[in-house]
Amino acid sequence: MTWKRKDLLSMQDLEAGEIRDVLDTAESMKEIATREIKKVPTLRGKTVVNLFYEASTRTRTSFEIAGKWLSADVINFSASGSSAEKGESLLDTAKNIEAMSPDVVVVRHKASGAPAMLARNLRCAVVNAGDGAHEHPTQALLDLLTIREKKGHLEGLNVTIVGDVTHSRVARSDIHGMKKMGITVTVAGPPTLIPAACQELGVKVSHRLEEAIAHADVIMMLRLQHERMTAGFIPSLREYSRVWGLSLDRLKHCRSDVLIMHPGPVNRGVELSPEVADGPYSVILDQVTNGVAVRMAVLYLLAGSKGA
Amino acid sequence: MSVSYREKAQVLDESALDRALTRIAHEIVEQAGGVEDITLVGIKTRGVTLGQRIAAKIASIEGKKPSVGALDITLYRDDLGLKAEQPVVRGTEIPFPIKGRTVVLVDDVLFTGRTIRAALDALMDLGRPRVIRLAVLVDRGHRELPIRPDYIGKNLPTSRRETVAVLLREHDGMDRVVIQEPSEEGEPQPKGEASEHGKSPRAERGEG
């Protein structure tokens, strides 16, 4: 075991060995979900605070279930209806929460770097649950776990990420994580939604969907935020869907064992047609299941090793 | 920090180890009056291997092989958070119900009893066995909890500073049990029993 970190802030920080440790631990955690009584006493007496400044159902619930199955006390703090609305700064809020002795603070914030700032200022462990357009490391870890589980390995696979890469923290974390695990990553999307400096991350760039997905072992479809249309990044949702949406018809040209992934929530009929989202290639719900296991692993590695 | 260990004495050789397991298999069958209700659960890692060997012996005696599960007690340890580094979670694989069964827990070395305490809690979370019994290849004494084995391969008086290494073909390329002691120079006092085993070059776990 090589895990020595106080915090989990980004996939960019992690080394391949650390990623493997989290995935192996998560794989072992999956057995707990199959039990009649889904609880182990591991984090008894530990407190996990979910500090969410942005809307989230899946991620927050996932952390909450993960903490509870490990017997930690999980407290949810959401920005609406809290002192944040009264003008309290993030750091002040966090310091106040720290004064109540949590062991782990899970942060989602619209500002890139907010979790890193908290990590520098708090004694407890900090987990980045999504910061701006920066990173969302636990999503990348659950994506890697899902791919490894379905394909049996990671090294040498081809993964194509399709959609709004510019604004996607999921894409950024996935790219960093996948590159470290020996995966070849291709990003595809309209030029307005693919960062110019993308190649510097060591990924291939494609502006034609058919070409980008033809040899992919995994296709990761990103969510298209509706506000991208009003901001002028794409002409219209319908046009985007026609050019960049994944339909059954397009899938015919893919590998017969291709996996379709999506970080959720899915815009049905925009980036994914319903037949594809619910089809046999889709592992979208496996991703959600694996999300709990990955977060259990992360909480175990971060909360467990702190002095009792 | 790290202590090196050297071999002090061999306790069991290959054939003695095999005979001990044969005897344990007979005792298990005799006490249970057959094989129908019996389920073996090995504690990872070497307890699982020993459990499989005992199951094979029971099969050759009774003509029917009991199921063997693998139990990882990491999530039930009582020393989590006391160590600098988190122990590796290896995963439990018990793909059959244990409710109402006679579960024989199998481990390589019985020491403080803390591993067995954790294993009992872990088993109870998986179901309610009719009875749980304990089989160990070596009982080295120094119990810290009121726990007593039902089937013992070898009673082995040891001092606390020594470690017992169970080497098995499947993991170590040979079958033997040895007592190890810390090498002389710069030898620090063994701390808690929990970390004592971990420092041994061979016995990766087995403090309980």
Side-chain angles (χ1 to χ4, degrees), chain A residues 1 4 28 35 41-42 300 304, chain B residues 75-76 81 85-87 89-90:
Chain A
M1 181 74 74
K4 299 240 169 11
S28 299
R35 297 184 184 183
T42 318
Y300 169 75
Chain B
L75 298 172
Y76 291 83
E85 215 174 278
Q86 281 293 70
V89 184
R90 295 177 196 280

Side-chain angles (χ1 to χ4, degrees), chain A residues 147-210:
Chain A
I147 297 170
R148 192 174 81 169
E149 201 175 81
K150 300 289 175 190
K151 296 288 182 188
H153 64 106
L154 294 173
E155 178 114 40
L157 292 178
N158 291 303
V159 175
T160 299
I161 302 176
V162 182
D164 182 4
V165 174
T166 300
H167 302 93
S168 174
R169 54 194 174 209
V170 173
R172 222 166 278 10
S173 284
D174 270 337
I175 290 169
H176 283 302
M178 287 171 180
K179 294 298 297 175
K180 285 174 193 194
M181 302 315 282
I183 290 173
T184 304
V185 182
T186 304
V187 297
T192 48
L193 295 175
I194 302 289
C198 226
Q199 271 110 336
E200 283 170 33
L201 290 177
V203 304
K204 297 180 193 167
V205 176
S206 170
H207 295 299
R208 272 197 58 221
L209 186 61
E210 283 77 8

Side-chain angles (χ1 to χ4, degrees), chain A:
Chain A
M1 181 74 74
T2 56
W3 193 269
K4 299 240 169 11
R5 291 176 189 279
K6 170 182 159 291
D7 313 292
L8 174 64
L9 300 175
S10 73
M11 294 304 288
Q12 191 172 11
D13 288 343
L14 296 187
E15 285 162 23
E18 294 175 303
I19 294 172
R20 221 168 282 125
D21 280 349
V22 178
L23 299 185
D24 291 347
T25 306
E27 208 168 78
S28 299
M29 293 292 184
K30 288 195 75 171
E31 173 260 330
I32 294 164
T34 67
R35 297 184 184 183
E36 205 172 311
I37 298 166
K38 298 174 182 53
K39 212 172 201 47
V40 292
T42 318
L43 298 185
R44 218 161 28 133
K46 305 275 183 188
T47 305
V48 176
V49 175
N50 280 331
L51 186 56
F52 277 62
Y53 283 88
E54 266 188 359
S56 160
T57 312
R58 199 179 334 260
T59 306
R60 205 207 61 220
T61 308
S62 183
F63 270 107
E64 187 171 350
I65 291 176
K68 287 183 171 172
W69 284 359
L70 289 171
S71 297
D73 294 303
V74 184
I75 285 90
N76 288 316
F77 175 103
S78 59
S80 61
S82 77
S83 50
E85 284 188 340
K86 299 177 189 165
E88 188 174 49
S89 77
L90 171 64
L91 187 55
D92 279 339
T93 304
K95 285 278 186 193
N96 275 277
I97 288 173
E98 178 168 60
M100 298 180 231
S101 310
D103 298 279
V104 183
V105 174
V106 179
V107 193
R108 168 167 290 188
H109 200 280
K110 65 177 188 302
S112 301
M117 187 272 281
L118 290 183
R120 282 194 302 275
N121 286 285
L122 300 181
R123 286 184 305 277
C124 63
V126 175
V127 180
N128 180 2
D131 60 334
H134 176 224
E135 284 228 33
H136 188 357
T138 56
Q139 177 72 41
L141 290 165
L142 74 88
D143 288 341
L144 287 169
L145 180 64
T146 308
I147 297 170
R148 192 174 81 169
E149 201 175 81
K150 300 289 175 190
K151 296 288 182 188
H153 64 106
L154 294 173
E155 178 114 40
L157 292 178
N158 291 303
V159 175
T160 299
I161 302 176
V162 182
D164 182 4
V165 174
T166 300
H167 302 93
S168 174
R169 54 194 174 209
V170 173
R172 222 166 278 10
S173 284
D174 270 337
I175 290 169
H176 283 302
M178 287 171 180
K179 294 298 297 175
K180 285 174 193 194
M181 302 315 282
I183 290 173
T184 304
V185 182
T186 304
V187 297
T192 48
L193 295 175
I194 302 289
C198 226
Q199 271 110 336
E200 283 170 33
L201 290 177
V203 304
K204 297 180 193 167
V205 176
S206 170
H207 295 299
R208 272 197 58 221
L209 186 61
E210 283 77 8
E211 164 196 288
I213 63 179
H215 303 290
D217 297 293
V218 178
I219 305 174
M220 173 87 59
M221 300 302 292
L222 298 176
R223 173 179 169 78
L224 184 82
Q225 316 272 2
H226 289 230
E227 54 270 29
R228 302 296 170 234
M229 186 175 68
T230 44
F233 287 100
I234 54 167
S236 73
L237 279 184
R238 190 192 284 180
E239 196 262 8
Y240 179 87
S241 173
R242 198 158 44 82
V243 180
W244 296 103
L246 199 57
S247 59
L248 271 187
D249 203 38
R250 287 223 162 97
L251 268 187
K252 284 184 193 140
H253 307 289
C254 292
R255 291 176 57 108
S256 59
D257 61 349
V258 70
L259 299 180
I260 309 298
M261 301 176 76
H262 192 294
V266 174
N267 282 319
R268 282 173 181 265
V270 181
E271 65 265 7
L272 276 183
S273 75
E275 303 81 51
V276 175
D278 304 327
Y281 303 106
S282 165
V283 293
I284 295 172
L285 294 177
D286 299 80
Q287 289 175 271
V288 179
T289 303
N290 283 338
V292 177
V294 154
R295 285 158 187 137
M296 288 173 83
V298 168
L299 292 178
Y300 169 75
L301 292 170
L302 291 177
S305 63
K306 284 163 48 68

